[in-house]
Amino acid sequence: MTDLLSIISQMTLEKDSIVLLGINSRLKPSKESLVIYIDSLVSFNESFDITKEQPIQYAEGNLTFDNFRADGGWTKLMIDGDLNEFEMTIEETELRQFNALLPFDSTQIKQGKLDALFAFVKADNKINLQTKIDSLTLGDSPPLNIRARAVSEGERVPLTFQLESASNNITLEGDYNSRTTQIDADIDVDINELKVFDLFFKGLVEDISGKVTGDIKIGGLINSPQYNGQLVFEGVRLTTHKPRTSLLLKNEVINLNNSGVTLNNFTIYDQ
């Protein structure tokens, strides 16, 4: 196989003074394939050690990684396989780096580490997804731990998800069938300290407190699921930004299903 030419490629994605992603590479096309050599990689202003001797190859509509590894100090990445059989691991990822992507001036992610494994075999419809986030601290809220798992057992894929802190717990447990694409799962919500979710409502409301509980059932086909459940708001207090108003939900229920959201005698008190 004879190389027709080599192309030097430089790509940089920046935000303010931060290099979010910078890649220098050499592209070597031929009649059969395109071989990509990554010469340098920078992310969040950190240079990565990479396996330069293992190129990435594109041929006949397929992209192949041969044990590609990158270590940037704040995260470690490994990719092996192609679009038919693939494995990727992410280890020791410092989530504080992603503050640069948030649309806020102050640092919101104080700490937290991500480890993840994702693998699949297309021919057998097999999937292996395992993710954990430890000690995720958002602003002044207590730390969260998050776990997610979906590992094939034949056609059946047991599903589990848990978000928990000292006083909050959101769980999902169920099954997915890879042949029929049917899902059957339950979501249980037990939130006793809403402040931990302040970040997600920043700019809209503040000083959130109170309790939210509920249960939601999910079934049917994965691309058109059916869901049914309710959320109960107990002593929920919050302050809106525009207009600035303090509100109270004493003991209110929201019913959820595919027809929409139902509010029966739902009352919001102005404090």
Side-chain angles (χ1 to χ4, degrees):
M1 181 173 63
T2 303
D3 290 340
L4 300 179
L5 74 161
S6 293
I7 303 170
I8 305 298
S9 172
Q10 295 181 326
M11 183 191 75
T12 303
L13 178 63
E14 294 186 2
K15 180 183 177 183
D16 300 326
S17 59
I18 300 174
V19 178
L20 301 178
L21 183 63
I23 300 175
N24 290 339
S25 60
R26 288 169 292 128
L27 313 180
K28 293 193 173 183
S30 70
K31 293 180 180 180
E32 294 82 15
S33 67
L34 173 66
V35 179
I36 306 169
Y37 293 88
I38 305 296
D39 292 322
S40 66
L41 173 64
V42 175
S43 183
F44 292 97
N45 288 347
E46 296 279 351
S47 296
F48 279 64
D49 293 328
I50 56 178
T51 52
K52 298 180 182 180
E53 69 275 9
Q54 302 291 357
I56 303 166
Q57 184 169 347
Y58 178 80
E60 298 181 350
N62 198 10
L63 191 64
T64 303
F65 294 82
D66 185 5
N67 199 29
F68 176 82
R69 295 177 181 271
D71 183 349
W74 65 271
T75 188
K76 297 178 181 179
L77 172 68
M78 188 283 293
I79 306 176
D80 190 39
D82 60 20
L83 300 182
N84 296 306
E85 187 169 347
F86 184 85
E87 181 176 330
M88 177 174 68
T89 61
I90 303 171
E91 298 178 342
E92 301 176 13
T93 301
E94 293 283 355
L95 296 177
R96 288 175 298 180
Q97 296 285 350
F98 295 100
N99 279 306
L101 301 178
L102 299 177
F104 312 126
D105 295 331
S106 60
T107 298
Q108 293 299 324
I109 303 176
K110 298 295 180 66
Q111 66 176 351
K113 273 195 175 182
L114 165 69
D115 292 282
L117 163 67
F118 176 64
F120 75 91
V121 180
K122 184 177 180 180
D124 298 329
N125 276 334
K126 288 185 177 180
I127 186 172
N128 184 349
L129 171 64
Q130 300 179 58
T131 303
K132 68 174 183 176
I133 297 176
D134 288 323
S135 301
L136 175 60
T137 305
L138 305 174
D140 298 324
S141 299
L144 293 167
N145 295 310
I146 300 173
R147 300 287 186 271
R149 179 182 172 89
V151 180
S152 296
E153 297 177 1
E155 294 178 350
R156 175 175 174 259
V157 184
L159 307 173
T160 60
F161 172 86
Q162 182 176 31
L163 180 153
E164 56 99 14
S165 67
S167 55
N168 299 317
N169 195 24
I170 299 175
T171 61
L172 178 150
E173 293 187 355
D175 289 300
Y176 170 71
N177 188 295
S178 61
R179 180 180 59 84
T180 64
T181 72
Q182 292 272 346
I183 186 171
D184 181 13
D186 288 314
I187 300 175
D188 184 71
V189 178
D190 185 12
I191 300 173
N192 295 279
E193 189 173 3
L194 280 170
K195 182 177 175 57
V196 72
F197 300 101
D198 269 351
L199 172 64
F200 304 103
F201 302 103
K202 193 174 180 66
L204 299 175
V205 298
E206 63 183 29
D207 299 329
I208 306 175
S209 63
K211 182 176 181 179
V212 178
T213 59
D215 179 76
I216 301 171
K217 296 184 181 297
I218 304 173
L221 300 176
I222 191 68
N223 60 353
S224 57
Q226 303 294 309
Y227 60 92
N228 185 59
Q230 68 174 21
L231 295 175
V232 180
F233 295 79
E234 300 178 47
V236 173
R237 300 176 186 271
L238 57 89
T239 301
T240 62
H241 275 213
K242 295 181 181 180
R244 191 166 184 83
T245 305
S246 295
L247 304 174
L248 168 65
L249 286 71
K250 289 184 178 179
N251 190 4
E252 310 302 329
V253 178
I254 294 179
N255 294 298
L256 309 167
N257 56 46
N258 287 79
S259 299
V261 177
T262 304
L263 308 176
N264 293 323
N265 298 317
F266 192 91
T267 305
I268 301 176
Y269 296 89
D270 186 348
Q271 300 182 89

